[in-house]
Amino acid sequence: MRPARLTVIAAASVAAALTAVTGCSQKSDAGGNDAIKVAASDSACDVSKTEFPAGKVQFDVENKGAKVTEVYVLFPDARIVTERENIGPGTKASITAEIKAGEYEIVCKPGMKGDGIKQKVKVTGKGAAEEKRSPEADAAVAAYRAYVVTQAEETLPKAQAFADAVKAGDIEGAKKLYATSRIGWERTEPVAESFGDIDPKVDVREDGLEAGQDLEKDWTGWHRLEKALWADNKIGDREKQLADTLITDLTDWQKKVGQAEITPTSIANGAKELLDEVATGKVTGEEERYSRTDLVDFKANVEGAQKAYELLKPIASKNDPELVKQLDTQFAALNTLLDKYRADQTTYEFTSYDKVGEPERKELSDGVNALAEPLSKLAAAVTK
Amino acid sequence: MSESESAAQPQPEQQAVGESSTAPSRRAVLGWGGAGFALGAAAAGGAVSAFGSGPDMVSAASSGASVPFHGEHQAGIASAVQDRLHFAAFDVKTKDREELVKLLKEWTVAARLMTAGLPVGEGGFGGLPEAPPDDTGEALGLKASRLTLTIGFGPGLFAKGRFGLEGKRPEALVDLELFPGDNLDPARSGGDLCVQACADDPQVAVHAIRQLARIGFGKVAVRWSQLGFGKTSSTTPDEQTPRNMMGFKDGTRNISGTDKAALDKHVWVGAGDGSDWLTGGSYLVARRIRMNIETWDRTPLQEQEDIFGRDKGEGAPVGKSKEREEPFLKAMKPEAHVRLAHPDTNNGATILRRGYSFTDGTDGLGRLDAGLFFLAYQRDVRKGFIPIQRNLAKSDGLNEYIQHVGSAVFAVPPGVRDKDDWWGRTLFA
């Protein structure tokens, strides 16, 4: 079951459930008779049947190429139905999944990189058909998923550079790399947060720990390192260890991103949630209380919201042109306001938030409200 | 008391909004244990006129009736003072005159609905599950509660190069001088627009401001706001004057909402007063007056009574026995508050007060952050608030116990005439 209307947060459990089902099926014997054979090579992705009945489907994959490959079954909006990584040359693997009627793509990725080789397949038969979405909506969802995946991919090397500086004991170097290592995460936060276990590991603040959690032991992630760098001004063994943990957790995030449940309305509400993040954490200066790099997060949140909006704009323009006009105006206004706090618009070097006075913070807050209120109507505009 | 008097001349519009008051009010039922006359009044009376007078006002509050939104003057000035206040001052963020006009029209539509006890837009529930509802919903199921919404325009709106209104700034809309003893906080002062929301139910007043702020995001931003309770003066002289946070009755000799002659003379801007667009309007001065509660509470009774010029029990002026007896000013100490504030001491200067007590918790020193949120309407600020406040600031005995910490002044346009009219039409059209 895939309810078409879900927020990203609500969808997290669905995504988790899907993964769990897939995981289980892989272990069980689904019966090989009706299995679809997928012959993967370095230049082809041949599927034995391009049309098959809905239900529990097994794919028997054989890697006939020279490179390690991975195979995906994707929804039209590029969401992963199921996948299998690290299929070595000459080896076989089976993937099973519950698949409903609809159109899908089988993708082989020789070398586990790039867009891969795609093969369209059709699943027929009874069962609740996938709720039909417009091609525009599917295009928006696919493009947003690609954006989210790219953000995660681009974040890792930056986070690695930051982690390396921490491990080298280079306080000044690490400070310089800290804020930019977070940009990709902050741009896609609602999706990132939908994997409930990752957010508390990488982005929790000191006061976000739950009762019974130990500050020394359980506080991990960026903000723990932020405190070490700016407040404690020292890097010890624990910090070096935490730098590695951060990379492990972010790698986990990158792996999971493709599975996130994404719908046009969840993109729209996710955009609004990014502005909520700004309104509750950044404008108040709570987020980056040691580094005072709140405006970098602020900018990244706005960029992520704007990307989501731009992708939905073709749909929203038809349904609510007045809203689109308003959002264009308010995004521009907020970006102009933010640009006042950086001398060079090609960098993310923003004014330290402790140098931003109360009247200026009020102005930023007003700008966020001015954008977030109409943005809260975007979901309705793409649903009509 | 006769309940039938409360149904003073229902107008057609009142019938239209009568829906909200035909059902027995929950509070009427609770308050009177379902006594027949209370229910009867609520059902038969429909909305109670804003200018209804006399002892019926208690039942008016309980019936949750609506005050007509349309009229020659805005409601919320001469209307019987409700129990609660949410006052908000806004900065106008848009530079586009048309956008501001559009907002004022949207606000008018919302105000018309809310004062009739109805939700705004498509309501508070039942819409798209993916989108936030149009109405925030905390007033759903509540009566209109005599909600009045009153708009005012601050001096900033008339600034040169802003909206082309520089030629329309009324002469009487003066920037208030800094009076001796003032300790004004810019974060609680000024504003391009204000909305005064008065209602018998605080939730209804808060809802109204919250909705307007929400509709306004991007075009206007809340600059500051103030909640008030326990009206400190009334426009219904037959009622007992409520007490302020110092425990005194103050504002006994206020202009009655039914005294048309006094209103015309002291409150409503007249046709020949200089700014045609404001005819039928008024001027509002808002002051946040902090009281030094703890030191006041340590002040001997005699000194307290001397400072006010009234006794604490009955509220009678010095030498008199009843609250409403005409004060004999010369019997009071020269620095007595009543003496200095009285029209006779100020060449007849008279204002209509609608102030409320406020308590915003405590300050960092554990002192009650409380006082009087003073609201005064007048025909000309230069002849109303200013001479009186000059006099008070100079020698009022109360000054030791109070401090003015916020200040704002607004031109209050005339009433919205009918369903096609909107707040500010005479200024912008």
Side-chain angles (χ1 to χ4, degrees):
Chain A
M1 274 229 356
R2 189 171 68 91
R5 298 172 177 183
L6 275 181
T7 67
V8 171
I9 298 296
S13 57
V14 176
L18 183 66
T19 312
V21 166
T22 311
C24 264
S25 317
Q26 278 171 332
K27 281 173 201 134
S28 71
D29 186 355
N33 290 345
D34 300 326
I36 316 291
K37 291 188 168 53
V38 181
S41 70
D42 295 349
S43 58
C45 188
D46 294 325
V47 179
S48 62
K49 279 189 238 172
T50 55
E51 195 170 323
F52 43 86
K56 191 185 271 185
V57 181
Q58 177 172 332
F59 299 92
D60 288 340
V61 183
E62 183 173 5
N63 184 359
K64 296 177 174 172
K67 294 179 186 168
V68 177
T69 194
E70 57 191 3
V71 174
Y72 292 86
V73 181
L74 299 180
F75 287 109
D77 66 7
R79 185 166 40 100
I80 300 168
V81 179
T82 183
E83 66 176 305
R84 185 68 179 261
E85 295 176 351
N86 286 315
I87 306 170
T91 64
K92 291 179 183 177
S94 285
I95 320 172
T96 41
E98 285 281 341
I99 303 186
K100 288 184 285 187
E103 290 178 12
Y104 297 83
E105 275 184 340
I106 310 285
V107 186
C108 304
K109 278 192 194 178
M112 295 173 57
K113 272 187 185 146
D115 291 340
I117 305 156
K118 296 176 180 175
Q119 172 73 58
K120 280 192 191 309
V121 296
K122 196 172 178 182
V123 179
T124 55
K126 60 177 167 62
E130 282 286 309
E131 189 165 326
K132 208 63 187 157
R133 229 158 40 195
S134 71
E136 289 161 314
D138 274 338
V141 169
Y144 188 67
R145 188 184 310 284
Y147 174 72
V148 169
V149 169
T150 308
Q151 290 307 312
E153 281 172 356
E154 289 178 358
T155 294
L156 270 172
K158 287 178 184 161
Q160 188 65 59
F162 168 67
D164 289 345
V166 171
K167 285 160 73 181
D170 177 6
I171 292 181
E172 287 314 307
K175 279 182 175 178
K176 284 197 183 78
L177 295 164
Y178 169 78
T180 46
S181 75
R182 296 174 41 76
I183 289 173
W185 173 272
E186 289 289 327
R187 279 177 182 153
T188 59
E189 212 164 340
V191 177
E193 283 174 351
S194 72
F195 309 107
D197 54 333
I198 299 175
D199 183 51
K201 288 181 188 163
V202 302
D203 201 28
V204 72
R205 298 193 299 259
E206 189 167 2
D207 45 359
L209 291 187
E210 290 166 22
Q213 284 194 310
D214 182 74
L215 211 54
E216 285 302 308
K217 214 169 71 220
D218 300 320
W219 188 21
T220 59
W222 271 303
H223 295 302
R224 167 67 179 78
L225 293 167
E226 180 203 1
K227 191 184 183 192
L229 294 172
W230 274 274
D232 308 336
N233 224 8
K234 70 175 187 352
I235 294 173
D237 288 345
R238 175 65 178 155
E239 283 74 27
K240 291 177 183 177
Q241 195 187 338
L242 285 171
D244 278 334
T245 309
L246 176 67
I247 299 303
T248 308
D249 293 335
L250 289 176
T251 308
D252 185 25
W253 163 53
Q254 190 211 337
K255 274 188 192 159
K256 285 183 177 172
V257 154
Q259 299 165 356
E261 180 85 7
I262 297 174
T263 65
T265 50
S266 77
I267 299 174
N269 282 325
K272 183 209 64 114
E273 282 161 28
L274 281 166
L275 268 290
D276 294 346
E277 287 281 336
V278 176
T280 49
K282 277 75 175 187
V283 159
T284 55
E286 284 169 75
E287 180 82 17
E288 303 290 356
R289 60 189 66 165
Y290 311 110
S291 65
R292 305 281 42 153
T293 55
D294 306 79
L295 288 176
V296 182
D297 290 14
F298 190 142
K299 178 69 180 173
N301 284 159
V302 173
E303 283 176 338
Q306 191 159 7
K307 178 72 185 182
Y309 163 62
E310 296 291 346
L311 292 174
L312 295 171
K313 205 162 146 182
I315 306 171
S317 304
K318 281 189 205 163
N319 296 333
D320 195 344
E322 183 62 30
L323 178 68
V324 166
K325 210 176 102 196
Q326 216 180 342
L327 287 171
D328 281 341
T329 308
Q330 295 302 347
F331 267 116
L334 188 55
N335 280 319
T336 305
L337 191 57
L338 273 170
D339 281 341
K340 280 169 50 179
Y341 298 94
R342 58 175 175 177
D344 180 352
Q345 290 182 27
T346 62
T347 75
Y348 283 85
E349 279 167 30
F350 280 87
T351 305
S352 178
Y353 207 56
D354 51 356
K355 304 278 193 302
V356 179
E358 282 302 324
E360 287 76 28
R361 290 184 185 198
K362 167 80 163 69
E363 194 183 23
L364 287 164
S365 174
D366 287 345
V368 171
N369 280 334
L371 173 58
E373 186 61 31
L375 200 54
S376 73
K377 299 186 170 78
L378 183 59
V382 299
T383 311
K384 277 177 190 168
Chain B
M1 59 179 153
S2 160
E3 292 301 318
S4 61
E5 279 171 21
S6 69
Q9 300 150 19
Q11 293 158 12
E13 186 207 0
Q14 293 174 319
Q15 302 292 5
V17 300
E19 187 190 4
S20 62
S21 49
T22 45
S25 139
R26 192 161 46 88
R27 272 206 257 166
V29 174
L30 294 174
W32 280 299
F37 69 89
L39 298 179
V48 174
S49 164
F51 303 98
S53 62
D56 58 88
M57 279 312 148
V58 174
S59 62
S62 300
S63 77
S66 55
V67 177
F69 179 66
H70 296 150
E72 187 186 349
H73 312 292
Q74 288 196 73
I77 302 171
S79 324
V81 182
Q82 303 90 325
D83 292 341
R84 303 293 183 133
L85 169 81
H86 191 185
F87 185 93
F90 297 83
D91 290 325
V92 174
K93 307 297 276 190
T94 181
K95 295 182 170 69
D96 181 349
R97 179 180 163 128
E98 284 314 303
E99 198 173 37
L100 176 57
V101 165
K102 193 167 158 250
L103 170 69
L104 290 169
K105 289 178 178 172
E106 285 171 10
W107 269 10
T108 307
V109 170
R112 189 178 284 127
L113 288 166
M114 291 191 289
T115 53
L118 301 169
V120 302
E122 291 178 22
F125 57 90
L128 281 169
E130 298 86 353
D134 285 351
D135 190 283
T136 53
E138 72 274 27
L140 292 173
L142 298 176
K143 297 283 188 182
S145 305
R146 294 197 298 162
L147 172 68
T148 55
L149 292 166
T150 315
I151 197 168
F153 300 137
L157 212 59
F158 302 90
K160 210 170 171 191
R162 254 191 118 183
F163 300 105
L165 297 172
E166 50 268 32
K168 290 197 165 180
R169 177 168 175 170
E171 258 188 55
L173 184 66
V174 292
D175 295 308
L176 295 180
E177 66 215 52
L178 194 68
F179 297 96
D182 279 2
N183 182 20
L184 303 182
D185 177 359
R188 291 189 193 275
S189 299
D192 295 325
L193 295 173
C194 75
V195 178
Q196 169 198 284
C198 297
D200 293 318
D201 185 329
Q203 185 122 334
V204 169
V206 167
H207 170 258
I209 293 296
R210 178 170 160 194
Q211 284 296 140
L212 297 182
R214 186 180 184 200
I215 294 168
F217 280 136
K219 287 143 276 194
V220 297
V222 174
R223 182 179 172 84
W224 54 273
S225 83
Q226 182 68 53
L227 293 170
F229 63 93
K231 59 187 178 189
T232 56
S233 51
S234 78
T235 51
T236 43
D238 298 345
E239 272 188 274
Q240 215 189 48
T241 304
R243 291 175 189 273
N244 64 17
M245 290 297 283
M246 289 172 157
F248 274 79
K249 295 180 183 180
D250 186 26
T252 296
R253 203 179 182 282
N254 205 14
I255 300 174
S256 163
T258 53
D259 188 346
K260 189 175 182 309
L263 291 168
D264 285 342
K265 188 174 177 193
H266 298 295
V267 179
W268 307 129
V269 173
D273 285 0
S275 284
D276 288 347
W277 70 268
L278 199 60
T279 302
S282 189
Y283 294 94
L284 168 63
V285 171
R287 306 277 287 184
R288 188 176 194 268
I289 305 173
R290 174 89 190 261
M291 292 173 177
N292 301 329
I293 298 285
E294 290 76 10
T295 50
W296 173 259
D297 293 345
R298 294 194 276 266
T299 303
L301 176 63
Q302 187 59 54
E303 194 179 332
Q304 291 187 0
E305 292 185 335
D306 286 348
I307 285 171
F308 269 97
R310 291 184 181 280
D311 75 48
K312 201 164 188 175
E314 163 64 24
V318 172
K320 303 291 173 90
S321 57
K322 293 285 175 216
E323 185 200 340
R324 291 186 189 279
E325 282 183 78
E326 195 60 29
F328 180 54
L329 300 180
K330 287 188 176 146
M332 299 175 185
K333 296 257 163 95
E335 66 279 8
H337 181 69
V338 167
R339 181 171 180 171
L340 290 167
H342 198 275
D344 292 354
T345 317
N346 297 289
N347 298 316
T350 305
I351 52 181
L352 184 151
R353 280 155 298 163
R354 278 187 75 96
Y356 286 83
S357 289
F358 70 85
T359 303
D360 293 343
T362 40
D363 67 13
L365 300 173
R367 304 178 302 184
L368 203 59
D369 182 2
L372 168 66
F373 189 66
F374 174 92
L375 294 167
Y377 287 90
Q378 59 243 283
R379 184 172 173 179
D380 188 330
V381 179
R382 297 165 301 179
K383 295 173 185 164
F385 176 75
I386 291 177
I388 298 171
Q389 183 55 24
R390 274 185 192 151
N391 208 15
L392 289 171
K394 197 166 64 188
S395 40
D396 188 359
L398 262 183
N399 289 344
E400 196 181 330
Y401 301 97
I402 62 172
Q403 189 169 47
H404 289 236
V405 294
S407 176
V409 59
F410 303 93
V412 177
V416 174
R417 300 306 172 103
D418 53 42
K419 64 176 178 44
D420 298 319
D421 197 6
W422 46 278
W423 271 338
R425 177 186 50 84
T426 56
L427 173 60
F428 287 92

